[in-house]
Amino acid sequence: MSLWIGEVVANFLVAPDIYRMRLRVDIEEPGPGQFVHLRCGLRYDPLLRRPLSIHDFDMDKGEIELLYRVVGKGTAWLAARVPGDKVSGLGPLGRGFILPSGKTLALVAGGIGFAPLFFLARKALALGNRVIFYLGVRSREHLLRQKDLAEFGVQLEIATEDGSAGFPGLVTDLLAAHLRNLRFDGIFACGPKNMLAAVAGLAATYSIPAQVSLEEHMACGLGACRGCAVPVYREDGNVTYENVCSEGPVFPAHRVVWKPSWR
Amino acid sequence: MEKGEDKAHPYPNLTVELAGLKLQNPVMPASGTFGFGEEYSRYVDLNALGALVTKSITLEPRLGNLPPRVVETPAGLLNSIGLQNPGLEVFIREKMPFLRRFKPPVIVNIAGSTVEEYAELARRLEKVPGVAALEVNISCPNVKEGGMAFGSDPQQAARVIKAVRQATSLPVIAKLTPNVTDIVAVAQAVEEAGADAVSLINTLTGMAVDWEKRRPVLGNIVGGLSGPAIKPVALYAVWRVARAVRVPVIGMGGIMSARDALEFLLVGARAVAVGTANLVSPRSMLEIIHGLKEYLREHNIDDINEIIGGLEVPFPL
């Protein structure tokens, strides 16, 4: 059964509007890129669960970590939780990243897209991969867990939009510059849709297989309601819809239809 | 086994009869919120439900609408899925074998863009083993052709139901839209046309606006509202329809708890369907069934049928 009640172990502000929560839960071992679907309150507003990607997992303690930005009623409720509080959750859900071993990998995170890629970096290194982690944030105060990543043995490349740390500009521009000289066996990305589309473009240009984690408004989380469906290419080139919750959230970048409408 | 319970005569009695079907309890999923059962089978013992209701099936596969397809509103959910489904053939081949393994009757929801399509769906499902009844979706607000266009006019609604009625001997349930001036007129028209039951309400048409981007939130611009926010509208519709037709009513619209289900039974629903609550918590229906049983026990009521239509009104409205 992957419907559970978790107990908050810690929940604290780590950057402007960004919280890190540790939750003690009895769940099967999650993979990087999978998510949990949390009920945010006991009443009808907010009504639906909120999908949060798994930031880390500690098998010995039986704890998952979540890193989330407060954007609305649901995440505001989560941010107000204190140790000992209970949270209803579903998961781990979805299909996560598929990692190779012994390769050179680029991880590309934009903003809160850092959350699942931290977990991915740790797992990637455990499989003997070399990891270069491209992290794009608005400003230096949004940089998180640099020390942890360095201790793991990750090569961190930072881009800030305001130029307050690292490369001044978009993380995808930094990645594009590096791709002229570096060879990667795989690219793994999570972040805003524009960033993912740019990563997919670069991956196609350099013929590097890429996996991207998508976001969409979600209801059931179980693949039943088709609410979080996104257009993707089938093998025959025609477009179909697949659920972010059950067939994703991670998709091969070349399968994603990046501009499905006038949006 | 719990006290006072034996298999032949369970106490209290939760069984209800509906359109020739015997339901072990009056709780079923609302079409579209429970996929084809499989998605929930890890969380819910499907054998515990009153009936299994599928997502709408169309003759040909449908891709559905542009994303975003769902958005939360205060105590509500606005959706514009657009009847995404694999089509009749795939449904029969790949979804029915799973569904027919379970004990509760399988109610297949059908949607067409022409009267003939509805009749064709009914004809072809008639022979499929395990199909216990058809729920005819003449109330989907998220498709351009068919759906609500039929359900919002009593004569059009009757035409569809009559065609389905003539095409099948299976029980026919007409699913009605609240997006009409007088839902009673539609209910009476489909009863006259041969419906064995009516289910109501489908979602209320609505929209959400992103004021910063100056755009509608949903890819389809408009959608259907469900959830606790619509419960008063649904109760009123069920109350009116239940008193105006002889066929049983399946009540739905914002049922989240056993208390909500009781309210629908009191205003005259013979059975209830749970929709949005499934999306919030996969075990909602089981909790509602348990809650109904508890309520009857606590109040020494032997039979849930005693509750149905039991609303006491101080004066006629």
Side-chain angles (χ1 to χ4, degrees):
Chain A
M1 179 68 75
S2 50
L3 174 63
W4 38 260
I5 304 283
E7 184 183 328
V8 177
V9 176
N11 189 27
F12 50 94
L13 188 73
V14 290
D17 292 333
I18 295 178
Y19 286 76
R20 194 171 141 196
M21 177 184 273
R22 283 217 314 277
L23 210 51
R24 185 172 300 131
V25 290
D26 180 18
I27 57 171
E28 63 190 81
E29 186 178 355
Q34 287 194 294
F35 67 96
V36 291
H37 212 23
L38 300 183
R39 185 96 166 83
C40 298
L42 301 168
R43 300 167 67 156
Y44 299 152
D45 192 16
L47 180 66
L48 299 172
R49 288 170 186 270
R50 298 293 190 265
L52 265 68
S53 54
I54 294 166
H55 179 54
D56 210 347
F57 177 66
D58 186 327
M59 177 104 82
D60 299 330
K61 289 185 185 161
E63 288 175 7
I64 54 169
E65 279 201 36
L66 306 167
L67 187 76
Y68 58 96
R69 192 156 57 93
V70 174
V71 289
K73 285 181 284 200
T75 42
W77 183 87
L78 278 180
R81 294 312 94 202
V82 296
D85 283 356
K86 302 286 198 286
V87 180
S88 160
L90 276 168
L93 300 175
R95 293 186 191 160
F97 293 101
I98 299 163
L99 277 170
S101 54
K103 303 285 188 186
T104 300
L105 311 179
L107 274 54
V108 189
I112 200 65
F114 176 70
L117 292 200
F118 179 85
F119 186 21
L120 181 73
R122 201 166 64 69
K123 288 286 184 184
L125 289 161
L127 288 167
N129 294 291
R130 181 175 166 230
V131 174
I132 302 172
F133 198 125
Y134 294 88
L135 173 58
V137 293
R138 212 176 308 150
S139 178
R140 62 177 301 155
E141 71 258 28
H142 291 94
L143 289 168
L144 293 168
R145 310 198 70 170
Q146 292 180 72
K147 226 177 88 187
D148 292 325
L149 287 171
E151 276 173 21
F152 292 166
V154 165
Q155 180 187 329
L156 189 60
E157 299 288 344
I158 289 164
T160 54
E161 283 176 39
D162 68 356
S164 55
F167 174 86
L170 296 176
V171 70
T172 43
D173 292 337
L174 176 60
L175 176 68
H178 282 204
L179 279 169
R180 286 185 208 114
N181 307 308
L182 287 172
R183 288 301 304 163
F184 293 106
D185 301 305
I187 302 178
F188 301 78
C190 184
K193 197 155 188 186
N194 289 343
M195 184 205 96
L196 296 181
V199 168
L202 289 169
T205 303
Y206 290 93
S207 301
I208 305 167
Q211 297 171 35
V212 295
S213 178
L214 301 184
E215 263 193 325
E216 192 47 84
H217 293 207
M218 195 178 284
C220 71
L222 306 175
C225 72
R226 285 22 171 206
C228 62
V230 290
V232 293
Y233 294 106
R234 294 195 313 208
E235 268 178 34
D236 63 11
N238 288 321
V239 172
T240 187
Y241 278 93
E242 290 187 4
N243 300 320
V244 167
C245 71
S246 57
E247 282 146 324
V250 177
F251 291 89
H254 70 270
R255 289 199 60 213
V256 178
V257 181
W258 293 104
K259 284 209 187 302
S261 68
W262 45 272
R263 272 155 202 278
Chain B
M1 198 174 290
E2 288 169 71
K3 195 186 155 199
E5 200 172 339
D6 78 79
K7 277 222 167 112
H9 304 282
Y11 175 87
N13 176 47
L14 257 70
T15 335
V16 295
E17 302 232 359
L18 189 124
L21 306 174
K22 194 171 176 188
L23 312 185
Q24 60 180 342
N25 65 63
V27 181
M28 65 184 81
S31 175
T33 63
F34 206 61
F36 298 105
E38 265 171 302
E39 296 90 337
Y40 278 88
S41 57
R42 189 170 168 194
Y43 303 91
V44 183
D45 175 10
L46 300 187
N47 278 325
L49 306 178
L52 305 176
V53 185
T54 71
K55 193 164 166 42
S56 282
I57 300 297
T58 51
L59 272 182
E60 298 301 323
R62 278 185 68 98
L63 283 178
N65 290 330
L66 285 173
R69 293 173 169 187
V70 290
V71 60
E72 186 178 291
T73 58
L77 167 66
L78 199 56
N79 89 79
S80 61
I81 312 292
L83 301 184
Q84 182 183 341
N85 80 94
L88 180 66
E89 265 179 52
V90 173
F91 168 74
I92 293 171
R93 199 172 61 234
E94 293 176 14
K95 307 295 179 186
M96 270 314 290
F98 175 81
L99 285 166
R100 74 168 69 93
R101 285 172 21 201
F102 299 92
K103 187 172 65 173
V106 176
I107 300 174
V108 178
N109 185 296
I110 57 172
S113 49
T114 63
V115 174
E116 183 40 44
E117 272 184 37
Y118 281 101
E120 175 70 9
L121 282 157
R123 253 193 302 278
R124 286 168 64 181
L125 282 162
E126 161 111 45
K127 301 179 207 87
V128 177
V131 177
L134 301 179
E135 182 177 56
V136 186
N137 181 357
I138 47 171
S139 45
C140 179
N142 292 321
V143 290
K144 286 199 181 69
E145 295 147 354
M148 207 170 83
F150 289 115
S152 47
D153 175 70
Q155 278 162 11
Q156 294 296 318
R159 269 181 66 212
V160 175
I161 298 303
K162 198 171 176 187
V164 171
R165 171 76 292 155
Q166 285 168 354
T168 183
S169 57
L170 290 168
V172 173
I173 304 162
K175 182 155 181 183
L176 307 183
T177 174
N179 302 307
V180 290
T181 312
D182 184 11
I183 196 169
V184 167
V186 185
Q188 287 172 331
V190 296
E191 179 184 41
E192 181 72 19
D196 301 291
V198 289
S199 53
L200 57 143
I201 58 174
N202 203 323
T203 54
L204 287 155
T205 312
M207 73 189 296
V209 171
D210 184 329
W211 62 271
E212 282 175 308
K213 291 183 189 156
R214 301 189 178 189
R215 279 183 173 176
V217 177
L218 293 176
N220 188 50
I221 304 173
V222 298
L225 183 64
S226 65
I230 72 165
K231 192 182 72 169
V233 177
L235 282 169
Y236 178 54
V238 170
W239 183 57
R240 288 185 64 217
V241 168
R243 294 187 306 164
V245 296
R246 290 172 302 277
V247 294
V249 176
I250 304 171
M252 70 195 77
I255 297 177
M256 301 293 287
S257 65
R259 208 182 84 173
D260 296 330
L262 282 165
E263 292 171 7
F264 277 85
L265 296 174
L266 283 170
V267 298
R270 184 81 59 85
V272 295
V274 176
T276 306
N278 293 323
L279 312 180
V280 176
S281 228
R283 293 175 60 80
S284 298
M285 287 187 290
L286 299 183
E287 284 159 16
I288 289 168
I289 294 164
H290 179 75
L292 288 177
K293 209 181 272 182
E294 287 294 295
Y295 171 81
L296 295 178
R297 283 211 182 106
E298 277 167 27
H299 293 80
N300 288 316
I301 301 167
D302 297 340
D303 189 338
I304 196 147
N305 289 282
E306 290 170 34
I307 304 278
I308 295 166
L311 187 76
E312 293 168 18
V313 289
F315 57 87
L317 192 69

